[in-house]
Amino acid sequence: EVVRVVESFLCSAFASGSQVKEALVFGYPRLAALLEGAYLRVLQDTDVKGVPPAVTRRDLPALHKAAEMFMNAFLSRSLTRMNDAVGVVMATGALEGQTQGRWDCA
């Protein structure tokens, strides 16, 4: 039940295209850590109190799967930023120093 609620919220946030989506995409590593921490806390708390668990050990992969769309968007943006940086470094203007003999690789 808990996993379905979280999954529903994450799907709604991703589909909305709002600032919430942008914040969750930008902060995906933190989102993943928060989901895992909340999962472990709920698992521990319901185990200690002796009530039926709100989550099971099989639910953690389902939580990660629910956040997968944010992970993919985060990785895509990271790759774009990395490619842009490499493009700037590899631009002909950035290589001028090498043609003028300022870089000695020997």
Side-chain angles (χ1 to χ4, degrees), residues 16-66:
S16 71
S18 66
Q19 291 178 345
V20 173
K21 174 189 172 184
E22 295 303 315
L24 292 174
V25 168
F26 181 74
Y28 170 75
R30 185 167 184 216
L31 171 65
L34 288 171
L35 286 174
E36 191 163 335
Y39 162 81
L40 292 173
R41 182 66 188 252
V42 168
L43 186 66
Q44 177 186 11
D45 286 354
T46 57
D47 185 44
V48 170
K49 295 177 182 170
V51 297
V55 293
T56 65
R57 300 209 181 272
R58 295 181 308 247
D59 289 334
L60 184 58
L63 276 176
H64 286 294
K65 180 103 173 121

